[in-house]
Amino acid sequence: MPTKAPKTMHLPTHTSYLESKPRFDILDGLRGVAAIVIVFYHFLTSSLFCAIT
């Protein structure tokens, strides 16, 4: 018996909603910096945890 493909979420094809929302470059930059800091934090804490045990 063939299985059904899972339902996927489709994004709207129009961009008027996205275009109506303002974008702030400074916030996008801060999000990028925060993502990098989180990656380094997880890398360093896992490295320190492995060094202790």
Side-chain angles (χ1 to χ4, degrees), residues 24-37:
F24 299 101
D25 290 334
I26 189 70
L27 291 180
D28 291 337
L30 285 175
R31 287 183 193 107
V33 170
I36 292 171
V37 168

Side-chain angles (χ1 to χ4, degrees), residues 2-17:
T3 59
K4 291 183 179 181
K7 292 183 180 180
T8 58
M9 180 183 294
H10 296 287
L11 297 175
T13 56
H14 58 81
T15 59
S16 61
Y17 175 73

